[in-house]
């Protein structure tokens, strides 16, 4: 009996040790498996890397939540590719529609700016042609007058009896030439023409009355009233435009104080119904200011393009 008990003890100890080791290995394998699943899950939900501008645009057009939903899907399901699920396809379609809508709205603003700029260029060309023609006539009249008075005056001075009359003719001719020169200087910036059938895309920047299709979409207007993400210290894009206009003398820094500059802003933002007549200088300033606004609208489209490229890469 004692021998039987001794044999059972010797056999049961290795079996128990083996079972314990097997159980330990199973627990380790399960832990490794769980860690692997966690690591895989973290990879499939990795955040999409957007440029600062693209990230800002995503927030402005309201697709941030859609991007987060897309990123929460497993990588093999969110596409692009054959494994893309219906849910991922629908989310991508919603993002694309939002970007396309905002892009088309920006294109509409750019088209309105181009329309106004073209109208300004047309009027400026007309005024410049009138000015050049007037200057040519003035120059010819000055040459003829000075030449004729010089010849006649010199001829009369050959005789003592007519020398006094010759002097007066010379003085008169010289005075008339000087007058024509002064008129020519005035004609350099003269000439006015009323702007008709044109939007006034600068009006919203100065809280002035808008006309025709002078309306900025909400997303673009928020973009203009936001700073560049990497240049926060420079202020909003709208303030930067105003700073450039002041720097180059388009408007005065204290426009709300000086009535003269307030009157200039009225011309720069005038509507077709007002019929204000613009000079060549005003037309040039207005066109240059519109060009600055157009650049920022195109930069917004660039940031939307970067957003779509980042989504396509994922």
């Amino acid at each position: 009996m004692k021998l039987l008990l001794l044999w059972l003890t010797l056999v049961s100890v290795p079996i128990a040790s083996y079972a314990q080791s097997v159980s330990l290995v199973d627990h380790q394998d399960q832990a490794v498996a769980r860690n692997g699943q966690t690591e895989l899950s973290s990879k499939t939900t990795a955040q999409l890397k957007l440029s600062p501008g693209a990230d800002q645009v995503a927030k402005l057009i309201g697709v941030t939540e859609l991007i987060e939903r897309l990123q929460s899907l497993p990588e093999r399901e969110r596409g692009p590719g054959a494994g893309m699920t219906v849910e991922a396809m629908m989310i991508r379609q919603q993002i694309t529609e939002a970007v396309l809508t905002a892009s088309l709205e920006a294109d509409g603003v750019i088209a309105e700016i181009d329309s106004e700029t073209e109208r300004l260029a047309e009027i400026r060309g007309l005024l410049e042609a009138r000015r050049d023609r007037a200057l040519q006539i003035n120059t010819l009249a000055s040459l003829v007058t000075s030449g004729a008075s010089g010849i006649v005056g010199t001829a009369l001075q050959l005789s003592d009896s007519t020398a006094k009359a010759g002097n007066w003719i010379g003085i008169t001719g010289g005075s008339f030439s000087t007058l024509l020169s002064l008129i020519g200087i005035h004609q350099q910036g003269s000439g006015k023409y009323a702007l008709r059938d044109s939007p006034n895309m600068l009006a919203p920047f100065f809280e002035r009355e808008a006309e025709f299709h002078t309306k900025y979409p909400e997303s673009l207007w928020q973009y203009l009233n936001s700073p560049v993400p990497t240049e926060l210290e420079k202020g909003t894009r709208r303030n930067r435009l105003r700073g450039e206009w002041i720097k180059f003398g388009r408007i005065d820094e204290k426009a709300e104080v000086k009535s003269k500059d307030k009157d200039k802003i009225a011309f720069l933002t005038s509507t077709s119904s007002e019929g204000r007549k613009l000079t060549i200088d005003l037309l040039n300033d207005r066109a240059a200011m519109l060009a600055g606004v157009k650049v920022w609208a195109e930069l917004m489209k660039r940031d939307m393009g970067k957003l779509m490229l980042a989504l396509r890469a994922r």
Side-chain angles (χ1 to χ4, degrees):
M1 187 65 179
K2 293 181 178 180
L3 292 174
L4 179 60
L5 291 175
L6 180 59
W7 180 79
L8 289 175
T9 302
L10 293 174
V11 172
S12 60
V13 170
I15 293 175
S17 300
Y18 175 76
Q20 185 177 3
S21 62
V22 170
S23 176
L24 180 60
V25 171
D26 290 340
H27 284 300
Q28 291 176 346
D29 290 342
Q30 291 176 4
V32 170
R34 284 195 300 269
N35 292 335
Q37 291 177 355
T38 303
E39 184 178 356
L40 178 62
S41 176
S42 64
K43 289 182 179 179
T44 57
T45 58
Q47 292 298 316
L48 183 67
K49 292 183 178 180
L50 297 175
S51 66
D55 182 65
Q56 183 183 52
V57 166
K59 294 175 182 177
L60 293 177
I61 64 177
V63 298
T64 302
E65 184 178 348
L66 292 173
I67 294 175
E68 291 175 352
R69 284 176 55 192
L70 182 64
Q71 287 300 108
S72 67
L73 299 176
E75 187 173 1
R76 64 180 180 278
E77 295 181 5
R78 63 175 179 246
M84 183 167 56
T85 61
V86 175
E87 182 182 3
M89 187 181 301
M90 293 180 62
I91 295 175
R92 283 179 173 273
Q93 183 177 357
Q94 293 177 39
I95 295 173
T96 302
E97 288 178 354
V99 172
L100 180 60
T101 300
S103 180
L104 290 175
E105 287 178 337
D107 282 335
V109 171
I110 292 173
E112 293 295 339
I113 291 176
D114 285 340
S115 174
E116 183 175 350
T117 303
E118 182 180 359
R119 184 62 178 154
L120 294 174
E122 182 181 355
I123 296 174
R124 184 173 63 240
L126 175 64
L127 292 178
E128 288 176 347
R130 289 180 179 179
R131 179 197 62 189
D132 293 344
R133 184 171 180 273
L135 288 174
Q136 289 175 356
I137 294 174
N138 188 298
T139 301
L140 290 174
S142 178
L143 289 174
V144 171
T145 301
S146 60
S149 61
I151 294 173
V152 174
T154 301
L156 291 175
Q157 288 176 354
L158 295 177
S159 174
D160 293 337
S161 59
T162 58
K164 188 174 181 180
N167 291 333
W168 279 109
I169 290 176
I171 293 172
T172 303
S175 300
F176 191 68
S177 297
T178 302
L179 178 62
L180 290 177
S181 299
L182 293 175
I183 293 174
I185 293 173
H186 175 71
Q187 288 173 337
Q188 288 286 344
S190 65
K192 298 181 179 180
Y193 199 91
L195 184 63
R196 298 289 187 183
D197 301 325
S198 172
N200 54 337
M201 299 301 292
L202 293 175
F205 287 86
F206 300 95
E207 288 79 36
R208 298 301 178 99
E209 181 182 357
E211 198 170 52
F212 288 105
H213 305 287
T214 309
K215 185 176 181 181
Y216 289 84
E218 186 64 25
S219 58
L220 178 55
W221 191 242
Q222 290 182 9
Y223 183 83
L224 292 171
N225 285 278
S226 302
V228 177
T230 56
E231 300 174 350
L232 299 177
E233 70 283 356
K234 294 184 179 180
T236 66
R237 297 173 177 89
R238 181 178 174 184
N239 287 337
R240 291 175 65 170
L241 281 172
R242 185 180 180 87
E244 290 178 0
W245 298 339
I246 293 172
K247 178 181 177 181
F248 293 105
R250 315 292 183 196
I251 60 174
D252 190 84
E253 187 172 3
K254 299 179 179 178
E256 300 302 324
V257 178
K258 296 183 178 181
S259 58
K260 180 180 179 181
D261 200 74
K262 288 179 68 175
D263 186 62
K264 182 179 180 180
I265 291 177
F267 279 96
L268 292 172
T269 61
S270 62
T271 62
S272 297
S273 58
E274 291 175 339
R276 293 178 181 270
K277 294 185 177 181
L278 305 179
T279 63
I280 294 176
D281 290 339
L282 284 170
L283 292 169
N284 288 333
D285 287 340
R286 189 162 173 167
M289 294 166 72
L290 287 170
V293 179
K294 180 182 176 181
V295 168
W296 284 117
E298 292 174 338
L299 287 174
M300 181 180 179
K301 287 176 59 65
R302 178 206 62 183
D303 290 335
M304 287 189 287
K306 289 183 178 180
L307 171 61
M308 293 306 297
L309 287 174
L311 284 174
R312 184 178 180 182
R314 301 295 294 183

